[in-house]
Amino acid sequence: MNVDVVPFTFSWAALRLLGSGLYSNPWSALSELVANGFDASATTVWVDVDARDKTHSVIDIFDDGTGMDRAGIDTYVKVGHNKRDAADSGDEMNRLMGRKGIGKLAALYLSERFYLRTRNNDSDTSWILEAGAGTDPEEHPHLTPVGDLPRSENLDYWEKLRSGTFLRLLDVDLSGNGDKAIEAFSMRLANQFSFADAHDNRSILVRVRRGDAPGEYRPAGKVIAFRNLAFAEASPATIMPIPAELHHVGSLEIPAKLPSGTYVHTREQATMPTKSLDTKFNTADIPELDEENGTYRGVPYSLEGWIGIHATIDREPAQRNDSRFARNRYYNPAQLRLYVHGKLASDRLLAQLGITGTYLNYIEGEIRFEILDDDRLKDIATSNRQDFDETDPRVTILRALVRPVVRRLMNRRQALAARITEAEKAHESEVNARGKQAFAAQLTQDLEHFDSIPEATKHELHAVVTNKLEGDARPKTKYSVFLSHSSSDAAFANLIYFLLVHQGASDDEIFYTSKPNDVRQYNDYDALSEVVKRSISDANTLICYLTSKNFRGSEYCLFEGGAGWATRSVAQYLKLNIEYSAIPAFLTNGKVEFALLDRNGTISLRPDVYSYLVESILNPLLRHLNVGRSIVGTEELPLFDAVTYPPPLELKQQGKTEADFYDPVIVSHWNGYVQDFLGEYLEDYLGSEPKK
């Protein structure tokens, strides 16, 4: 072997075995390489993932740390070298994330062919590890010196730094990771570190390339939705500073069956005890535990950090509280992240607390428990370096510290849920009371239409019917409108629909089958006739019939008209008629009717048409919807202003017409939904047989 070649202290077989057991995914391995940079006193580590060819991805990791001289390279290839033993001071030892010198295996886990260049004040050397050298499993992999690395934008930038290390990993297989997983890499990488000490000015800059454009480096930042936390506890800021946003006391909204759709809660925060132990774990049986002084085997312990519980973990309402909330198969905020020496040690602690309940999945927090990796005590990290020996007393102590905090937060969230339920029940009771009042008022109006019934009988009937609404019988509280029309007359239905929407009506308050760009009626599992039947038979649905010879010639329209006739009196539905002669007899009963079509066979927004639209169609529909809105306590819809026209002589003197007093909104909607189609519509209507 060439004298300049530097062999690793393990064989290929041993390194491959170790590498596959140490890391569960490429992102964990990358975090180890980032940690190596910070342990070399880097203030910034850059990570460039070129995933344009996922099977043969290229990853550059470089830093502005101290770099390595030739002696440093000899140390680099020693697997198991304890960096803390070589630390110059206690502060440096405590700052180091690594302990056993195996983080370098992350490079071998990711790639069996990589370049390494490192530079400090004394040297600047470049090396390569070749995959082909590993054909003999007993052979030791080795670093071979090279003249230079292939040129790249990243290398050009790194060369401007005074010192540091540049690592290029070739043929990294990311084929098992979808685009979403790669996009989530930056967030997951940020969660691997706490940066919670005097060196918190450190940063990670990440760039992920999947297309031709190289993109820009962006800070790997945590996406903790602090504004979505309902309750939180935080320790005094000693070892682990508490994020400033956690101290912000603000209001947040939780989905609830209330008029606004949400329950407003003000976040509450308390101090987290750092030494209070839960008796569930029998810590009294742990030898050499001094609970009063907070030491184990003479080494002080203290729980640092913060733990909170989310108000909701449903993505949409949570993002309304805090847009940073993210939750998907690649990123889960509901976890308790445990850090030791500033690096993520475990995110599985919640499952080890012996707690069950819905709100356990709402917990998020970041804590630090340094005694788990104190050099004065034995190493208890598991073989994969991503957790600890669960049987060690220190882990038991940690659980005993964390469990009461989590239980308190869950209990407080449960109590909040109970308050929301009480508010919902109180609102439901109020809704039912208002619904009964509305029903009683409507019943009074309905009985007035029956002149043949004596007044005393009406009062008696009214009392009997309204009293039936006691107990389990509750009035309907959902009020809606149904626009019954032929598809050929859709322009007039569109006019009414969009004017109601303009006034604030919601889409689910209005049903009609010609609703633009809406296919919900076709996606219903029931036949259209069943959909229409449900829309009509609801006692709180006000029907507006758009009658015409098209309506009279439609089987569905006649079905709708017949259902309305059978379930309502003439006063309980509205009509907008194209012409009088086309109104089905059972919908008019011989009463005086208004028609859009004038004697000249034209339709226009003349004064009587305008007034009829406002006073006999639009405002009655809005009033009907407002009854339902007043019952449930939501904002009522504004009515359109009725117009009182000046006398003709006064209009003439003012140089105005009736149209000058129209609402511009109604005029613009008429022009957009009716006027532009009137020519073709009238030609077809007056010159053809009825359309079905």
Side-chain angles (χ1 to χ4, degrees):
M1 183 177 291
N2 189 303
V3 69
D4 291 329
V5 169
V6 185
F8 279 79
T9 56
F10 273 52
S11 68
W12 270 111
L15 289 176
R16 286 168 177 157
L17 181 62
L18 281 172
S20 62
L22 284 173
Y23 309 106
S24 57
N25 56 69
W27 319 121
S28 297
L30 281 173
S31 71
E32 288 285 358
L33 299 177
V34 172
N36 286 346
F38 289 130
D39 281 352
S41 300
T43 58
T44 305
V45 177
W46 290 262
V47 181
D48 183 357
V49 180
D50 186 347
R52 287 176 289 183
D53 180 353
K54 288 184 182 179
T55 305
H56 303 285
S57 299
V58 178
I59 300 178
D60 286 350
I61 302 176
F62 54 101
D63 62 64
D64 59 357
T66 57
M68 294 179 283
D69 55 16
R70 185 61 177 77
I73 291 294
D74 290 335
T75 300
Y76 178 82
V77 297
K78 292 180 180 179
V79 178
H81 171 72
N82 193 329
K83 292 184 283 188
R84 296 184 196 171
D85 288 343
D88 293 334
S89 65
D91 289 341
E92 182 184 356
M93 180 182 69
N94 291 330
R95 181 183 60 80
L96 291 173
M97 299 179 184
R99 177 176 183 177
K100 296 303 183 184
I102 62 175
K104 67 203 69 174
L105 295 179
L108 291 167
Y109 168 81
L110 292 165
S111 171
E112 292 186 352
R113 181 168 178 263
F114 61 80
Y115 287 96
L116 172 68
R117 183 174 173 186
T118 183
R119 183 174 74 249
N120 61 16
N121 295 331
D122 300 321
S123 67
D124 184 345
T125 58
S126 299
W127 309 82
I128 187 173
L129 182 143
E130 293 280 7
T135 54
D136 180 0
E138 298 304 318
E139 182 181 348
H140 285 224
H142 51 268
L143 296 177
T144 303
V146 294
D148 206 348
L149 273 62
R151 305 306 305 169
S152 74
E153 170 194 355
N154 288 328
L155 188 59
D156 291 342
Y157 178 83
W158 177 82
E159 287 180 336
K160 298 176 183 178
L161 303 175
R162 295 181 59 184
S163 62
T165 298
F166 187 101
L167 187 65
R168 169 165 294 172
L169 308 172
L170 304 176
D171 297 323
V172 179
D173 187 3
L174 299 179
S175 59
N177 297 272
D179 288 345
K180 293 293 184 182
I182 295 175
E183 287 176 5
F185 162 58
S186 181
M187 293 184 291
R188 294 169 68 177
L189 183 60
N191 280 348
Q192 295 287 327
F193 303 93
S194 68
F195 298 153
D197 51 28
H199 299 268
D200 60 3
N201 63 330
R202 296 175 292 183
S203 64
I204 307 170
L205 299 180
V206 177
R207 177 169 66 179
V208 178
R209 292 194 259 185
R210 293 188 305 278
D212 293 336
E216 298 180 355
Y217 281 99
R218 300 182 184 278
K222 297 178 186 288
V223 290
I224 302 171
F226 288 108
R227 298 188 187 99
N228 189 52
L229 295 177
F231 305 97
E233 293 193 13
S235 65
T238 52
I239 297 178
M240 190 170 184
I242 305 303
E245 273 200 278
L246 198 67
H247 297 294
H248 173 72
V249 177
S251 61
L252 46 83
E253 298 180 350
I254 303 172
K257 296 177 182 178
L258 296 172
S260 63
T262 60
Y263 180 92
V264 178
H265 168 72
T266 301
R267 183 199 301 154
E268 300 175 23
Q269 183 176 327
T271 300
M272 182 174 71
T274 60
K275 294 181 172 62
S276 178
L277 300 176
D278 193 304
T279 57
K280 171 183 172 61
F281 294 101
N282 298 319
T283 53
D285 296 335
I286 298 177
E288 301 182 74
L289 170 64
D290 185 344
E291 185 174 347
E292 182 178 351
N293 294 310
T295 62
Y296 171 70
R297 293 192 174 181
V299 179
Y301 66 81
S302 179
L303 179 66
E304 308 285 342
W306 63 271
I307 303 175
I309 189 164
H310 284 284
T312 174
I313 56 174
D314 292 335
R315 185 174 60 85
E316 291 187 8
Q319 287 185 341
R320 287 196 292 270
N321 290 326
D322 195 320
S323 60
R324 293 168 298 186
F325 185 88
R327 182 170 180 256
N328 51 53
R329 60 177 296 191
Y330 304 106
Y331 185 82
N332 182 16
Q335 58 181 221
L336 191 53
R337 296 179 288 276
L338 168 65
Y339 297 93
V340 177
H341 289 288
K343 188 173 182 298
L344 184 69
S346 175
D347 56 11
R348 297 178 54 251
L349 188 58
L350 275 180
Q352 302 171 5
L353 298 179
I355 299 176
T356 58
T358 300
Y359 294 111
L360 185 67
N361 294 325
Y362 288 53
I363 293 289
E364 181 172 13
E366 296 193 332
I367 57 175
R368 188 164 175 171
F369 199 54
E370 296 296 281
I371 196 173
L372 292 175
D373 193 19
D374 192 291
D375 285 287
R376 290 167 288 184
L377 302 172
K378 71 173 184 176
D379 182 16
I380 59 170
T382 57
S383 60
N384 66 4
R385 312 301 297 176
Q386 294 175 292
D387 219 325
F388 294 95
D389 177 4
E390 296 183 9
T391 64
D392 190 89
R394 283 171 283 175
V395 176
T396 302
I397 296 171
L398 172 63
R399 294 175 186 167
L401 288 167
V402 173
R403 190 173 190 270
V405 179
V406 172
R407 288 185 61 188
R408 276 195 303 273
L409 291 170
M410 291 177 62
N411 289 339
R412 298 185 77 181
R413 181 61 183 85
Q414 185 64 53
L416 175 59
R419 293 199 297 272
I420 295 174
T421 299
E422 291 176 3
E424 290 175 333
K425 288 181 178 179
H427 171 64
E428 183 182 10
S429 178
E430 294 173 0
V431 167
N432 288 331
R434 290 194 294 265
K436 182 177 179 179
Q437 293 173 358
F439 175 84
Q442 183 63 53
L443 181 59
T444 299
Q445 295 178 20
D446 292 343
L447 289 174
E448 290 299 321
H449 294 289
F450 296 92
D451 296 332
S452 60
I453 301 177
E455 287 299 318
T457 304
K458 289 180 181 179
H459 290 307
E460 182 178 354
L461 182 60
H462 187 281
V464 170
V465 173
T466 53
N467 286 336
K468 288 293 184 181
L469 293 179
E470 299 293 340
D472 293 334
R474 295 181 178 180
K476 299 289 185 181
T477 58
K478 180 175 176 57
Y479 279 60
S480 60
V481 300
F482 180 87
L483 306 182
S484 176
H485 68 290
S486 164
S487 59
S488 297
D489 304 327
F492 300 98
N494 291 341
L495 170 69
I496 297 172
Y497 168 74
F498 283 108
L499 282 171
L500 294 178
V501 171
H502 180 273
Q503 296 302 95
S506 61
D507 205 47
D508 61 355
E509 291 178 302
I510 310 168
F511 179 86
Y512 78 110
T513 54
S514 295
K515 192 176 295 183
N517 303 319
D518 191 346
V519 296
R520 283 178 296 176
Q521 63 267 24
Y522 306 116
N523 294 332
D524 199 297
Y525 289 111
D526 298 323
L528 179 59
S529 61
E530 290 299 318
V531 178
V532 172
K533 184 188 301 182
R534 291 200 307 269
S535 300
I536 294 176
S537 60
D538 185 344
N540 290 330
T541 297
L542 179 58
I543 307 173
C544 180
Y545 293 107
L546 278 64
T547 72
S548 68
K549 65 180 181 181
N550 299 321
F551 180 94
R552 196 172 58 183
S554 168
E555 179 180 344
Y556 273 121
C557 290
L558 291 179
F559 163 77
E560 295 166 9
W565 172 81
T567 57
R568 291 158 172 78
S569 68
V570 173
Q572 291 180 299
Y573 51 78
L574 310 175
K575 293 193 303 299
L576 182 63
N577 311 300
I578 299 299
E579 56 180 333
Y580 179 82
S581 61
I583 305 174
F586 58 83
L587 286 181
T588 183
N589 292 347
K591 63 187 289 288
V592 177
E593 299 284 0
F594 178 85
L596 294 177
L597 200 63
D598 63 18
R599 295 180 179 180
N600 299 319
T602 62
I603 296 175
S604 63
L605 193 59
R606 57 187 189 268
D608 60 337
V609 169
Y610 180 89
S611 295
Y612 186 83
L613 278 173
V614 172
E615 299 175 32
S616 300
I617 302 295
L618 294 171
N619 281 350
L621 292 174
L622 291 168
R623 289 191 188 98
H624 177 78
L625 294 178
N626 281 340
V627 173
R629 285 171 168 252
S630 67
I631 290 174
V632 298
T634 54
E635 184 179 0
E636 296 187 17
L637 306 172
L639 303 181
F640 288 100
D641 292 332
V643 178
T644 301
Y645 303 109
L649 179 59
E650 186 176 331
L651 283 175
K652 185 176 181 180
Q653 291 173 341
Q654 294 177 359
K656 295 182 179 180
T657 66
E658 289 88 345
D660 292 319
F661 295 87
Y662 294 172
D663 187 322
V665 171
I666 295 178
V667 174
S668 64
H669 279 67
W670 175 276
N671 292 336
Y673 294 107
V674 176
Q675 188 65 43
D676 291 346
F677 302 95
L678 267 180
E680 181 181 350
Y681 173 80
L682 289 173
E683 181 180 355
D684 186 56
Y685 185 86
L686 297 174
S688 66
E689 293 298 319
K691 293 297 183 66
K692 297 185 180 182

